[in-house]
Amino acid sequence: MQTTIAPHIQCPNPDCRSDDNAMGQTTCRACGTSLPHRYLWAIGEGVEKIPPKTIIGDRYQVAAPQVWLDLRPGQSPDVPDSLPENLLPYLQLYDYRLHLPTIYSFAVWDGSGVLLLENVPLNDAGQLLPAIAPSLTLMPTTRKLYWLWQMLELWTPLDELGVTTSLLTPSNIRVEGWRIRLRSLYRAVKPESPPTLADLADLWRSWLPQFSPPVDTALVALCDQMTAVAESGAEDGLQAIAHVLNLLLLEQAAQSPLKLSTVAASSTGPQCSVNEDSSYPNPTGERSAIDAVLSPQLAIICDGIGGHAGGEVASQLAVRSLQLQLQALFAELAEQTEPWPPDIVAQQLEAIIRVVNNTIAAQNDEQGRQGRDRMGTTLVLALQLPQKVRLGDSWSNTHELYLANLGDSRAYWMTPRYCHPLTVDDDLAGRDVRTGRCLYREALHQSNSSALTQALGTREADWIYPSVQRFMLDEDGVLLLCSDGLSDQDQVENHWERIMQPFFGTKASLQETADRWVELANEKNGHDNVSVALMHCTVSPEQPRLFDPSTTKTETEDSVELSDTEWSEAARALFEGVTIPKARPAE
């Protein structure tokens, strides 16, 4: 069913469900609950021609071509009894949510199935974020190279699932500050001849006029190397290309100074008697000799598991052990004459985490703890690695930030313009999505969906797989690490602007801001301990210019935009011709 009547957003509060909320309202008129405006990207035959304001299925409003708004955000989306195999890449790439969309639901338009994607590059008003090609002219060199680096990082996981065409269509690649985001996943027009690094090199060559000497000359050589690797099929070719691009990125980033300050805050919470969280730096403000080495470049949050004398011990042991291990890592780095590549650093951090894991596991064994009685802890760690690159006659910081996490403690990057969640929880919901068992929204409604699948110390090191990511600090911002005492119920996503505005407006200190986050957690959640660490990163003097999509032409400016026919073959290849089983509401 489709109409063009004036839409209303239903309250997501299950005890309210009021429909008396006009478009544009931020809270429910009946109960005051926040009204989410969830914009989705629609893929299906003819969806781009549906007139704006059309209401589809008594649930969605067409806001713009292929942009639909869910008018009943509190209700579970419709899901099929089984997912078409062609759509599995969306689920299997769940860990890359920082850059890729996920499946939200299915709908029917004019008798045909429509795929609806969430976590798409749309702003709060439902407008597409800027495409990468026109944005290149506005950004400093470090940002441009960082975008290329992210594309290269995504190449392998997308290639393994046959969707690298997604990285070769400029209008599909959107940018939001430092990160790139893909609008949807595309299969190759000719699956028997999948894209290669030579195709990626050709795309980058078309962007070379946006780079100045000597970077443009270095990129010409890099693109030639990519083409040669594609032709030769060298097994280590991609690694060699990544090494060259990484050094180029580090040299550019290091030309700006970097300033850091780090604080922490913690609370037992109004409903708990013992604080099982531990953090670095020490929330009490006490300093030790090791701080001279690690502070302010390190922040850690650990949320203990196993009750008093269990989780409390595990989290404290993890933080102390990590400090000692990282102190040794810093000493080793000081002797290096060249920066380690990101994959080597990741291996080092993974090894450190496994050592810490076995330290806790050994205590469990000594105390005879079995099954659920074994103590453990979550972990989220941020490390601004003190690697150096030579610039002329001096050395400068490489601006690398490494994140490592296990469990459901999280990291967020915040600026006055946006808040980016950087980590993915290790829980049953995520596991079910990765393995293709169900969609994300459906997984959230499964029993024990938030139960952890990984934690430090509960099992031997061979059974843990910490996530390690490398980011580049190329803008001013604040990194927030927190335990789930804060992140539960999406408190960070819902309140970050209100909490951070005084700090960004220079009306509150970093420590005062950390304390405000703890106060918010105690007020809105209160069922758990809460710990927060904030790392303020300042890069100067050159800052990326703000980019307003409303004042910039749309993707029609992309010189290599696919034609409508080509898009039908490529962009819809994951969905074209798929028969959607009868949808059912998620339980």
Side-chain angles (χ1 to χ4, degrees):
M1 181 181 75
Q2 48 273 351
T3 64
T4 55
I5 61 174
H8 289 75
I9 296 182
Q10 185 183 72
C11 176
N13 184 347
D15 297 324
C16 179
R17 296 300 196 209
S18 171
D19 286 312
D20 189 23
N21 298 299
M23 293 291 294
Q25 286 183 215
T26 58
T27 58
C28 175
R29 298 175 66 176
C31 70
T33 299
S34 177
L35 294 175
H37 286 61
R38 189 171 295 141
Y39 290 97
L40 311 166
W41 185 252
I43 298 177
E45 188 64 38
V47 295
E48 65 272 18
K49 299 177 182 178
I50 304 175
K53 299 186 178 181
T54 300
I55 306 298
I56 298 177
D58 196 33
R59 173 153 190 176
Y60 303 101
Q61 182 202 34
V62 178
Q66 293 188 255
V67 178
W68 293 12
L69 174 66
D70 188 355
L71 302 177
R72 303 181 182 276
Q75 296 186 14
S76 300
D78 288 338
V79 299
D81 292 325
S82 61
L83 191 70
E85 186 175 352
N86 278 2
L87 298 181
L88 286 178
Y90 283 105
L91 277 63
Q92 295 166 329
L93 292 166
Y94 172 79
D95 287 341
Y96 297 89
R97 295 183 73 214
L98 187 62
H99 306 289
L100 308 182
T102 55
I103 298 176
Y104 182 74
S105 182
F106 297 90
V108 175
W109 162 258
D110 199 24
S112 299
V114 178
L115 172 66
L116 296 175
L117 301 177
E118 64 174 327
N119 193 41
V120 286
L122 298 169
N123 64 17
D124 292 341
Q127 301 169 319
L128 274 169
L129 296 175
I132 189 172
S135 303
L136 287 168
T137 60
L138 304 171
M139 293 294 144
T141 301
T142 300
R143 176 65 59 84
K144 299 175 189 177
L145 291 173
Y146 193 18
W147 286 344
L148 299 188
W149 172 262
Q150 292 173 63
M151 293 178 68
L152 194 64
E153 279 193 308
L154 287 171
W155 183 266
T156 295
L158 268 61
D159 187 40
E160 291 173 349
L161 296 176
V163 290
T164 48
T165 300
S166 314
L167 289 169
L168 300 174
T169 308
S171 64
N172 191 51
I173 308 170
R174 301 283 159 164
V175 292
E176 183 181 23
W178 59 271
R179 69 166 166 168
I180 65 167
R181 303 181 65 181
L182 302 189
R183 195 174 55 185
S184 58
L185 296 180
Y186 299 175
R187 285 200 184 276
V189 176
K190 298 179 180 180
E192 67 279 6
S193 301
T196 68
L197 284 173
D199 298 298
L200 185 61
D202 288 341
L203 176 61
W204 288 5
R205 287 189 182 97
S206 71
W207 296 341
L208 288 177
Q210 309 301 331
F211 291 85
S212 302
V215 174
D216 58 347
T217 303
L219 286 177
V220 168
L222 181 66
C223 289
D224 291 343
Q225 184 180 356
M226 293 166 68
T227 300
V229 166
E231 293 174 351
S232 67
E235 293 185 2
D236 60 347
L238 184 60
Q239 184 177 2
I241 292 166
H243 179 71
V244 173
L245 181 58
N246 182 58
L247 288 178
L248 189 60
L249 173 59
L250 296 183
E251 290 171 357
Q252 287 297 314
Q255 294 181 24
S256 298
L258 173 64
K259 299 178 182 178
L260 301 172
S261 56
T262 305
V263 301
S266 185
S267 171
T268 301
Q271 300 178 27
C272 300
S273 58
V274 175
N275 193 344
E276 297 182 67
D277 290 357
S278 294
S279 59
Y280 182 88
N282 191 327
T284 66
E286 296 180 8
R287 293 180 61 84
S288 63
I290 203 170
D291 291 328
V293 178
L294 301 177
S295 180
Q297 293 167 292
L298 175 65
I300 304 172
I301 295 292
C302 287
D303 183 356
I305 302 167
H308 181 46
E312 183 182 8
V313 172
S315 64
Q316 292 176 359
L317 182 57
V319 171
R320 288 198 301 268
S321 300
L322 284 166
Q323 291 179 62
L324 293 174
Q325 294 288 332
L326 291 171
Q327 184 181 29
L329 176 65
F330 278 29
E332 187 175 357
L333 282 173
E335 300 177 357
Q336 304 300 313
T337 57
E338 290 187 2
W340 285 343
D343 57 337
I344 299 300
V345 175
Q347 292 170 18
Q348 292 286 327
L349 292 178
E350 289 173 10
I352 287 172
I353 292 171
R354 289 193 166 92
V355 169
V356 175
N357 178 89
N358 286 348
T359 301
I360 302 172
Q363 284 212 12
N364 277 319
D365 295 339
E366 290 174 6
Q367 298 173 11
R369 293 176 178 262
Q370 300 293 327
R372 298 192 177 202
D373 290 332
R374 290 176 72 83
M375 63 181 177
T377 180
T378 69
L379 166 69
V380 60
L381 175 153
L383 176 65
Q384 199 290 297
L385 199 66
Q387 296 205 99
K388 305 291 184 182
V389 293
R390 182 175 289 280
L391 297 177
D393 296 331
S394 62
W395 295 85
S396 184
N397 190 297
T398 58
H399 292 207
E400 296 172 282
L401 177 73
Y402 282 85
L403 281 182
N405 69 286
L406 273 174
D408 60 359
S409 294
R410 296 183 181 176
Y412 299 83
W413 176 254
M414 297 176 293
T415 74
R417 293 179 290 149
Y418 44 68
C419 173
H420 294 162
L422 303 180
T423 55
V424 177
D425 293 348
D426 292 313
D427 56 18
L428 288 178
R431 186 186 67 181
D432 287 346
V433 174
R434 292 183 194 95
T435 56
R437 295 178 183 175
C438 57
L439 304 183
Y440 175 67
R441 294 286 170 178
E442 184 180 13
L444 293 179
H445 289 82
Q446 304 293 336
S447 61
N448 298 322
S449 63
S450 61
L452 298 184
T453 56
Q454 292 201 94
L456 271 179
T458 57
R459 310 175 77 179
E460 294 299 321
D462 291 343
W463 293 92
I464 67 168
Y465 301 93
S467 170
V468 179
Q469 305 175 77
R470 196 277 297 266
F471 301 92
M472 297 299 299
L473 297 172
D474 75 339
E475 65 180 358
D476 290 358
V478 174
L479 181 72
L480 164 68
L481 307 185
C482 66
S483 59
D484 64 342
L486 172 59
S487 60
D488 278 354
Q489 309 302 320
D490 296 329
Q491 301 300 347
V492 177
E493 291 86 345
N494 293 335
H495 298 281
W496 72 271
E497 288 182 280
R498 178 171 65 86
I499 298 296
M500 295 304 300
Q501 190 277 332
F503 175 78
F504 289 131
T506 69
K507 295 180 180 179
S509 69
L510 194 63
Q511 186 63 61
E512 290 170 337
T513 305
D515 293 338
R516 291 188 70 196
W517 278 115
V518 170
E519 292 169 3
L520 174 76
N522 287 337
E523 174 190 351
K524 299 292 186 179
N525 287 333
H527 59 276
D528 199 357
N529 311 143
V530 57
S531 292
V532 170
L534 297 180
M535 181 182 290
H536 182 211
C537 310
T538 304
V539 181
S540 58
E542 185 178 24
Q543 293 294 311
R545 290 172 51 189
L546 296 180
F547 186 77
D548 184 356
S550 65
T551 61
T552 306
K553 294 182 179 180
T554 60
E555 61 263 35
T556 55
E557 291 185 330
D558 295 332
S559 60
V560 284
E561 171 70 80
L562 292 181
S563 69
D564 186 63
T565 301
E566 291 171 321
W567 189 92
S568 178
E569 294 175 349
R572 296 177 184 159
L574 285 170
F575 193 63
E576 185 82 13
V578 173
T579 301
I580 301 299
K582 184 178 180 180
R584 57 180 173 82
E587 299 177 355

